Amino acid sequence: MGLSVAAAGAAIFHSTDSSARDRMEPGTLDFSRSVPVTDGYDVAVCGGGPSGIAAAVSASCMGLKVLLMDSNAQLGGTCTSGLVSHWLGGRDMSCTTWVVGGLFKAFSDEAARRGCALIPGPVTDKKYQPHGWIKSLLHGIPIEPYGMARFLDEKVCQAGVDLLLNTQFVDVLLDRNHITHSIIFNKSGLSAVPVRAVVDATGDGDVAARSGCDCITGREEDGVQASVTLEFHVDQVAQDALAGYIEDNNCPRFKEQIALWSQQGTWKAASTFLITVQLTEKGVMMVNTPRIDGVDATDGRSITRGLLQCRKEIQDLFESLRKNVPGFEQARIKAVAPMLGVRESRRIRGNYQFTVAELESGRECQDVVGFSSYGWDLPHSINPSRRPTYGKSKKKLTPIPYRIMLPRPVRNLICPGRMVSVERVLLGPLRVMASCFAMGQAAGTAAAQVVADKTSFDRIDIQQLRQDLRGQGAIVDSDAI
């Protein structure tokens, strides 16, 4: 069975059209073809990072037929392919209380038992925090990316999810405000997947944007996006020497030292600070330092320029590390991420937007589906070494209202992850991986109501969803923390 894919009223392009064939200047071209239609699914999840994994597993566990697709060759998204191997936002600063439960805590516990994750305990008497570089980030869960990718394979397949890797979401077909088919591409070519509900877990709001949903990219005033990072991992770091130097000089980010080394001509990198995180093995560290501004994560050429620039910066930075930073003299580059670490791109504009003013008001949202303990950290777009904190008071927890995941006008689509409908600065606590797990689990669980009741994501029973999440071990009530 085939399906003709084209814009309404579009002319079909024929290879015999010599005028079109000979035209070389930029412009637009209507393109139409028939593509095969696959088996249908209750839910198609586009994107296999933390939010997509949680959405797919929870939806499948609710009895739905689920397809999970990802453009990478492995699951995990930024935490595996992007080598941002540090799940943040799921515990409080004391490292004794879990803020995100459900699948996030279950996966963290099991992965730690199997050696592909590490759950650090509290450290109170040291300036140097090997798993967080500053005390407030010690709550994170470092992971080993290759073992984690295999672990996620197992969890998704055990849940009964159909999985397609190296598969790119392309477009949708719509019937009024409902998606009927998701158009995908892989080595088999283009195909159309019939769907009842769709989870946009792309991080960039690709499904929302191509469905005609209202979106905004970057800063409201000019569209500029937060800086990107290309992560790399190093091994053979003499961590005791590194720790001793940091303790003696009180320099967890090396800002003053780097300024001095730059003046002396021994620091050649553009980076003005250093952020390192010990992963699951001592001496193996993630370097979360290169910050490149001016990259548009929704533009293919801009991403390419960012990758090229970041790889050059990594080489300069690594040489500077070995020359200057105690403990890095014999270090080696173990891996460089094949994908950029993107902090910000598109956000949906829903009928509801979560704002700093509402958060600071203290009013309790009635549709909370999770929390984040991470700070309001969204690196400055023009000065990447600056990390502004907004608001009169920095809340210990940021609640996650269900409504921020609802785009408009498409009604059988939900968008967990960093594309949510929030005031831009609130991306800080909500863009990190623990909160993405929480949003994804809520999205997948909500899909069960959408499919069973033949309704839309904006018409589900919110309190029933919250009760379902409690039953799954998720934390949706502040008094449970």
Side-chain angles (χ1 to χ4, degrees):
M1 180 178 179
L3 183 71
S4 179
V5 179
I12 297 176
F13 171 72
H14 299 284
S15 61
T16 56
D17 183 347
S18 60
S19 62
R21 185 174 61 242
D22 296 338
R23 191 167 58 240
M24 301 294 289
E25 69 274 9
T28 61
L29 178 70
D30 292 326
F31 178 79
S32 176
R33 69 182 302 168
S34 293
V35 300
V37 177
T38 71
D39 290 339
Y41 289 86
D42 294 321
V43 183
V45 180
C46 304
S51 62
I53 292 165
V57 170
S58 57
S60 188
C61 290
M62 295 293 287
L64 303 183
K65 184 181 179 183
V66 180
L67 172 66
L68 172 61
M69 68 190 80
D70 193 82
S71 59
N72 294 300
Q74 60 187 1
L75 291 171
T78 303
C79 73
T80 53
S81 296
L83 297 185
V84 187
S85 305
H86 200 205
W87 289 353
L88 292 170
R91 301 190 298 162
D92 71 354
M93 290 185 187
S94 72
C95 300
T96 59
T97 301
W98 291 82
V99 171
V100 179
L103 289 173
F104 173 75
K105 184 177 186 302
F107 282 12
S108 297
D109 286 339
E110 184 175 348
R113 290 194 298 271
R114 293 172 57 171
C116 56
L118 184 68
I119 303 177
V123 176
T124 58
D125 60 343
K126 301 284 186 181
K127 298 184 183 73
Y128 174 59
Q129 312 294 333
H131 303 295
W133 77 87
I134 55 176
K135 185 177 179 180
S136 63
L137 296 181
L138 186 60
H139 67 266
I141 310 293
I143 67 164
E144 194 281 301
Y146 308 109
M148 178 56 68
R150 177 60 187 140
F151 173 79
L152 295 173
D153 287 346
E154 291 182 14
K155 304 313 292 183
V156 165
C157 292
Q158 287 171 3
V161 174
D162 279 0
L163 178 62
L164 283 175
L165 296 172
N166 289 329
T167 297
Q168 182 72 50
F169 163 79
V170 176
D171 213 332
V172 300
L173 291 184
L174 290 163
D175 180 8
R176 293 183 291 272
N177 290 330
H178 279 72
I179 297 171
T180 62
H181 296 77
S182 177
I183 311 301
I184 65 174
F185 176 80
N186 55 28
K187 277 293 185 179
S188 300
L190 289 166
S191 57
V193 182
V195 293
R196 291 187 171 90
V198 179
V199 177
D200 183 347
T202 62
D204 298 311
D206 290 338
V207 183
R210 292 169 197 170
S211 302
C213 293
D214 192 4
C215 297
I216 184 172
T217 303
R219 293 193 304 203
E220 288 83 353
E221 62 269 29
D222 57 12
V224 172
Q225 298 166 39
S227 58
V228 300
T229 296
L230 192 65
E231 305 285 341
F232 67 105
H233 292 182
V234 296
D235 61 11
Q236 296 192 16
V237 177
Q239 267 188 249
D240 291 340
L242 175 64
Y245 185 87
I246 292 173
E247 287 285 330
D248 291 343
N249 294 275
N250 191 22
C251 58
R253 298 181 72 198
F254 282 84
K255 295 186 74 171
E256 293 181 1
Q257 284 76 8
I258 289 172
L260 177 61
W261 294 331
S262 295
Q263 291 177 357
Q264 295 172 344
T266 60
W267 186 269
K268 302 297 186 182
S271 302
T272 59
F273 59 92
L274 175 64
I275 293 176
T276 59
V277 179
Q278 181 195 316
L279 298 180
T280 56
E281 182 181 350
K282 189 174 180 179
V284 178
M285 308 197 81
M286 176 182 80
V287 182
N288 183 10
T289 298
R291 303 288 169 94
I292 306 298
D293 65 323
V295 174
D296 180 353
T298 67
D299 179 87
R301 288 191 179 276
S302 185
I303 291 170
T304 300
R305 288 194 299 270
L307 285 165
L308 297 178
Q309 186 176 351
C310 280
R311 280 196 282 269
K312 180 184 184 303
E313 170 65 11
I314 284 173
Q315 190 60 47
D316 293 341
L317 175 60
F318 183 65
E319 291 175 4
S320 296
L321 290 176
R322 294 191 66 174
K323 286 180 181 178
N324 296 281
V325 180
F328 277 84
E329 295 89 348
Q330 302 301 317
R332 304 180 307 175
I333 292 181
K334 182 180 181 183
V336 176
M339 64 178 286
L340 284 176
V342 175
R343 296 173 174 85
E344 173 190 26
S345 55
R346 294 189 191 95
R347 303 190 307 283
I348 59 172
R349 292 182 189 262
N351 290 325
Y352 167 78
Q353 184 190 53
F354 191 29
T355 65
V356 173
E358 182 172 2
L359 176 64
E360 291 187 333
S361 73
R363 292 189 298 270
E364 187 171 344
C365 297
Q366 300 303 307
D367 61 338
V368 172
V369 293
F371 295 90
S372 172
S373 64
Y374 193 61
W376 294 7
D377 168 22
L378 190 65
H380 197 274
S381 304
I382 305 302
N383 179 5
S385 66
R386 180 181 164 207
R387 303 189 313 147
T389 298
Y390 296 82
K392 297 177 182 178
S393 59
K394 189 173 182 180
K395 303 293 182 181
K396 291 183 179 179
L397 295 178
T398 302
I400 306 172
Y402 171 79
R403 290 167 289 170
I404 67 176
M405 298 188 287
L406 302 180
R408 62 185 185 195
V410 179
R411 301 181 66 193
N412 65 336
L413 174 65
I414 191 167
C415 302
R418 69 168 185 264
M419 72 208 80
V420 288
S421 180
V422 297
E423 187 175 357
R424 179 177 181 259
V425 297
L426 278 174
L427 283 181
L430 298 183
R431 65 183 173 83
V432 292
M433 294 177 196
S435 51
C436 286
F437 267 104
M439 286 185 272
Q441 185 163 1
T445 304
Q449 289 190 46
V450 172
V451 172
D453 299 339
K454 297 181 179 179
T455 187
S456 52
F457 280 106
D458 60 341
R459 290 188 174 181
I460 68 161
D461 183 334
I462 295 295
Q463 297 313 313
Q464 180 61 54
L465 170 63
R466 282 163 47 83
Q467 189 58 35
D468 289 340
L469 290 171
R470 291 187 190 99
Q472 298 167 13
I475 298 172
V476 300
D477 304 292
S478 58
D479 59 7
I481 299 174

